[in-house]
Amino acid sequence: MSSIAALKDCAYRIRRYALRMGEVQGQGYIGQALGLADALAVAYGHAMTFRPEDPEWEGRDRFLLSHGHYAIAHYAALIEAGILPLEELETYGSDDSRLPMSGMATYTPGMEISGGSLGQGLIVGVGMALGLRLKGNPAFVYNSMSDGELDEGSTWEAAMSAAHHGLGNLICMVDINNQQADGPSSQILKFEPIADKWAAFGWFVQRVNGNDLAGVLAAFDAARQHDQAQPRVILLDTLMGKGVPFLEQREKNHFIRVDPPEWQQALAILDAQHAGATA
Amino acid sequence: MNTVTTPKPRLTTSAMIASIASEGQRTRAAPFGKALVELAAQRPDIVGMTADLSKYTDLHLFAQAYPERFFQMGMAEQLLMGAAGGLAKEGFVPFATTYAVFATRRAYDFMHQVIAEENLNVKIVCALPGLTTGYGPSHQAAEDLAMMRAMPGMTVIDPCDAHEIEQATPIIAAHKGPVYMRLLRGQVPLVLDEYGYQFELGKAKIIRDGRDVLFISTGLMTMRALEAAQALQRDSVDVAVLHVPTLKPLDAETIAREAAKSSRLVVVAENHSTIGGLGEAVAGVLMRAGVHPAFRQIALPDEFLDAGALPTLHDRYGISTDAVVASVKSWL
């Protein structure tokens, strides 16, 4: 059983790595990365089974990054997991780097799919979950997606199919930060009541504050331990920029504005807050 | 006595998947389905998937033989392609079937990003290629070859008959990487066995030789080219037929070599739009090779095609045997 304190450390490091990559590139989806860091800490720091030295180990739980633009967050988690070396974050988004701006399986160890064309991760997850079951492999497939991907028809093709096939080995995480390219997700295409929708499709549904580590931890445990042959979804209400107050309060945008000196300021605030919290 | 003129009978649109076999032609039933069932006995990694069209792609035979390895994905082509990619990532070799229109026009990005970009081992096998139904543009895949040829890493095959489909099925399963294969299903004409033909991936083959005309053809148009060659023989026109079942990778060497021989009229024949199919591919090969024969294209027009009876439509759009013969005569 992972302690909340240990997961706090884990989430802090994920945020730190993401900010450092943002500074390297001078841009990036840092708001999303900071928002999802707690869920990633629980996934990689607690829930998932994997071998850092062998990212393709057959027994691993599969983590699919459907929203490929969250790669900055996923790379940070892969560094935290020991799958990617820390020093590689200096190459983020650069020519010939293994860490492109949008996540691709063909570039990066631990990156299971080439996401980015939104609404594809969950359908690939359906296929992988069917395949794992056919092989008798007990691994879980985690699909991480954004609330904007709820707009895509393919998401609901997958939702219907996963329930039809009784895929109890499929866990979907939806990052609800209510922000997509053209504005607040709820105004782009109304998605509520989102828990009812997933439930009506036949999923085991939990909705939690995605930045409350204890709640997220309990939700991941319940998702794994649920004893019905049905797919599981964890709806994570998150705050963009979480952990860096001036970014939490910045005008909401798909790409949160960060001015050049602010990367170091954000790191300093993050470090100070974490030191204070753990003191 | 009054003379009664009998009007030409008006043909009616036949079932969704009409057999393209002409009356009295030798056929074989469900060559793809049977070949896959046979292959799967030796290959436990083969799985079958469809988007509510198993019966119409002959995949129902596989579903009956191996129910635990068959996945009904519902009428959801994006899901079909994406989930096929997922199964391939877990080490299986999925044969995913639907109609060509739905695979190419509804699920292109899923084949592109999920399957082709990772070079996954998915075999996409699609019925109703080109103009093989009278149901109109909703079901007529006149541009599928153009779309699939444009996708990096995709192998593209248009087999001629039952003999070739039987041979190609285990060969594409053995090939590592994504494949798009056009499918004739139901009672499928049997032609190439008489020529001792053997399918090889990526190879164009001379089926018959001749001095005056060189057909370069793919898919069912090779059958039509062979029939046209026999008819033209009666008028002392000597016709060669080069069959090109693999559109990608294209056997450019054989095509350029045959086209450069003597001064034959080159006629490229395909059951596909004039845009982006074999005709334009061959033209490109010949231009790059510096081979410049007289060149004609038999292909479907760049239009939304009519609904109606298939024989009527094949005449109308110039891909029936009679229409091919007439075209060639007009060009000589």
Side-chain angles (χ1 to χ4, degrees):
Chain A
M1 187 65 198
S2 310
S3 74
I4 297 295
L7 290 174
K8 267 189 182 149
D9 290 347
C10 184
Y12 155 72
R13 288 190 294 269
I14 289 173
R15 288 191 166 93
R16 203 168 202 295
Y17 302 147
L19 281 166
R20 287 185 58 193
M21 280 183 272
E23 185 178 26
V24 166
Q25 190 55 231
Q27 58 166 341
Y29 293 89
I30 193 64
Q32 290 87 336
L34 295 172
L36 195 63
D38 296 305
L40 288 169
V42 173
Y44 278 91
H46 170 72
M48 287 170 54
T49 300
F50 59 93
R51 290 178 179 167
E53 72 287 359
D54 184 8
E56 294 177 22
W57 172 51
E58 174 68 6
R60 76 195 183 282
D61 289 331
R62 280 74 167 149
F63 185 96
L64 315 186
L65 189 76
S66 184
H67 39 182
H69 58 290
Y70 277 53
I72 187 170
H74 196 195
Y75 300 147
L78 290 170
I79 291 168
E80 171 63 18
I83 294 169
L84 288 177
L86 174 59
E87 58 274 18
E88 205 160 334
L89 64 75
E90 303 290 347
T91 72
Y92 171 65
S94 307
D95 289 346
D96 303 320
S97 171
R98 296 197 299 175
L99 313 183
M101 296 291 282
S102 186
M104 285 183 274
T106 41
Y107 281 62
T108 317
M111 190 64 75
E112 296 275 359
I113 62 167
S114 296
S117 178
L118 300 175
Q120 292 190 338
L122 194 57
I123 58 164
V124 179
V126 167
M128 292 175 79
L130 285 169
L132 288 168
R133 186 166 73 185
L134 189 56
K135 287 191 284 191
N137 183 326
F140 279 103
V141 177
Y142 291 82
N143 176 65
S144 181
M145 61 181 275
S146 59
D147 54 6
E149 294 184 82
L150 297 168
D151 298 358
E152 292 282 2
S154 55
T155 294
W156 300 104
E157 290 183 12
M160 207 164 162
S161 176
H164 173 84
H165 289 286
L167 296 178
N169 54 351
L170 180 61
I171 298 176
C172 184
M173 310 155 49
V174 185
D175 180 23
I176 304 174
N177 57 20
N178 199 28
Q179 186 64 44
Q180 61 190 98
D182 264 352
S185 302
S186 51
Q187 291 174 29
I188 300 301
L189 191 57
K190 193 167 81 173
F191 58 82
E192 297 288 8
I194 193 59
D196 293 346
K197 284 181 180 149
W198 287 97
F201 272 76
W203 287 58
F204 172 61
V205 185
Q206 301 175 84
R207 186 167 191 166
V208 296
N209 175 348
N211 298 122
D212 168 35
L213 275 172
V216 174
L217 179 71
F220 271 78
D221 283 346
R224 288 189 300 153
Q225 289 155 15
H226 183 62
D227 62 0
Q228 303 297 307
Q230 62 183 146
R232 303 101 206 275
V233 63
I234 305 173
L235 304 170
L236 300 152
D237 288 293
T238 65
L239 179 63
M240 288 181 80
K242 177 70 184 176
V244 180
F246 74 84
L247 292 178
E248 291 175 11
Q249 287 145 26
R250 185 140 291 173
E251 67 277 16
K252 289 292 176 244
N253 222 321
H254 187 51
F255 247 128
I256 276 187
R257 174 178 59 80
V258 183
D259 297 329
E262 290 182 329
W263 296 102
Q264 282 299 323
Q265 293 165 20
L267 282 163
I269 291 169
L270 189 74
D271 291 347
Q273 288 199 340
H274 186 66
T278 55
Chain B
M1 197 175 110
N2 293 329
T3 54
V4 180
T5 54
T6 315
K8 193 179 171 192
R10 194 159 59 177
L11 301 178
T12 53
T13 302
S14 48
M16 172 72 78
I17 299 197
S19 173
I20 57 155
S22 48
E23 211 173 311
Q25 187 173 28
R26 290 185 309 129
T27 61
R28 192 167 285 163
F32 164 67
K34 288 178 183 167
L36 191 64
V37 166
E38 190 181 322
L39 178 66
Q42 320 298 325
R43 292 278 305 263
D45 54 340
I46 287 176
V47 297
M49 313 174 73
T50 191
D52 191 31
L53 284 172
S54 64
K55 280 188 278 186
Y56 299 90
T57 57
D58 290 338
L59 193 68
H60 63 300
L61 299 175
F62 180 91
Q64 288 160 9
Y66 307 102
E68 74 290 349
R69 280 196 266 162
F70 170 74
F71 299 103
Q72 175 58 264
M73 304 314 291
M75 205 188 300
E77 292 78 17
Q78 300 180 118
L79 172 71
L80 172 70
M81 296 306 167
L87 274 152
K89 289 171 81 67
E90 293 300 335
F92 295 97
V93 181
F95 277 71
T97 74
T98 178
Y99 287 160
V101 282
F102 304 139
T104 57
R105 302 198 315 232
R106 297 189 80 112
Y108 193 79
D109 188 43
F110 293 74
M111 296 188 288
H112 191 282
Q113 280 305 108
V114 177
I115 295 170
E117 199 270 337
E118 285 193 54
N119 195 39
L120 296 179
N121 219 355
V122 177
K123 317 304 167 185
I124 300 156
V125 180
C126 292
L128 296 188
L131 178 54
T132 49
T133 174
Y135 272 46
S138 63
H139 286 68
Q140 292 161 344
E143 63 283 87
D144 63 329
L145 297 177
M147 295 175 74
M148 298 311 288
R149 280 182 64 226
M151 193 179 293
M154 185 62 69
T155 294
V156 181
I157 298 170
D158 188 4
C160 168
D161 72 340
H163 179 69
E164 187 159 46
I165 289 169
E166 285 168 358
Q167 293 185 338
T169 299
I171 290 172
I172 65 172
H175 171 75
K176 188 164 165 33
V179 176
Y180 176 78
M181 182 167 85
R182 279 180 151 196
L183 177 66
L184 303 170
R185 53 78 61 194
Q187 294 297 330
V188 179
L190 191 54
V191 177
L192 293 179
D193 58 330
E194 286 190 351
Y195 296 85
Y197 173 81
Q198 174 65 47
F199 171 79
E200 284 182 74
L201 196 62
K203 294 286 183 210
K205 295 201 172 174
I206 286 285
I207 308 297
R208 59 172 281 165
D209 217 343
R211 293 181 306 274
D212 304 317
V213 175
L214 171 65
F215 274 113
I216 301 177
S217 56
T218 189
L220 69 88
M221 288 312 290
T222 291
M223 176 176 88
R224 295 279 154 84
L226 289 167
E227 289 166 358
Q230 286 172 6
L232 288 162
Q233 191 85 59
R234 291 192 281 276
D235 291 327
S236 301
V237 179
D238 199 17
V239 177
V241 176
L242 177 65
H243 177 46
V244 186
T246 310
L247 283 101
K248 189 180 174 182
L250 193 63
D251 187 351
E253 192 186 330
T254 301
I255 290 168
R257 189 180 67 234
E258 289 297 328
K261 278 186 191 169
S262 65
S263 55
R264 296 182 293 194
L265 168 68
V266 169
V267 178
V268 182
E270 61 191 312
N271 170 32
H272 184 270
S273 163
T274 52
I275 293 179
L278 184 65
E280 290 191 347
V282 168
V285 164
L286 300 186
M287 288 294 283
R288 285 189 288 272
V291 176
H292 305 301
F295 178 91
R296 296 286 186 279
Q297 230 182 318
I298 289 173
L300 301 169
D302 174 29
E303 293 169 15
F304 291 98
L305 306 179
D306 293 339
L310 212 48
T312 309
L313 298 177
H314 279 202
D315 274 336
R316 184 173 301 162
Y317 294 117
I319 63 169
S320 68
T321 303
D322 288 347
V324 169
V325 170
S327 292
V328 171
K329 282 183 176 174
S330 76
W331 293 328
L332 287 172

